[in-house]
């Protein structure tokens, strides 16, 4: 157990909420795509 690469020593090293990470990722990606679509729509309407 003195091996620093032993996985059991690092189980609680960085607790993460994977569901929230994925949700925030989808939300940010959706927001970026929404902004791109809004700009593209505005460009099309102004032509």
């Amino acid at each position: 157990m003195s091996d620093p690469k032993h996985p059991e020593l690092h189980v609680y090293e960085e607790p993460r909420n994977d569901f929230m990470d994925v949700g925030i990722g989808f939300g940010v990606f959706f927001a970026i795509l929404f902004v791109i679509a809004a700009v593209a729509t505005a460009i099309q309407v102004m032509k």
Side-chain angles (χ1 to χ4, degrees):
M1 282 293 255
S2 62
D3 181 19
K5 293 183 228 155
H6 199 282
E8 290 179 4
L9 295 176
H10 303 284
V11 172
Y12 298 110
E13 186 172 295
E14 185 183 353
R16 304 286 299 179
N17 186 347
D18 291 333
F19 184 72
M20 280 304 295
D21 287 343
V22 171
I24 290 171
F26 273 112
V28 169
F29 186 64
F30 177 80
I32 290 169
L33 290 182
F34 185 81
V35 168
I36 291 171
V39 170
T41 302
I43 290 171
Q44 285 292 331
V45 168
M46 287 192 298
K47 278 188 176 180

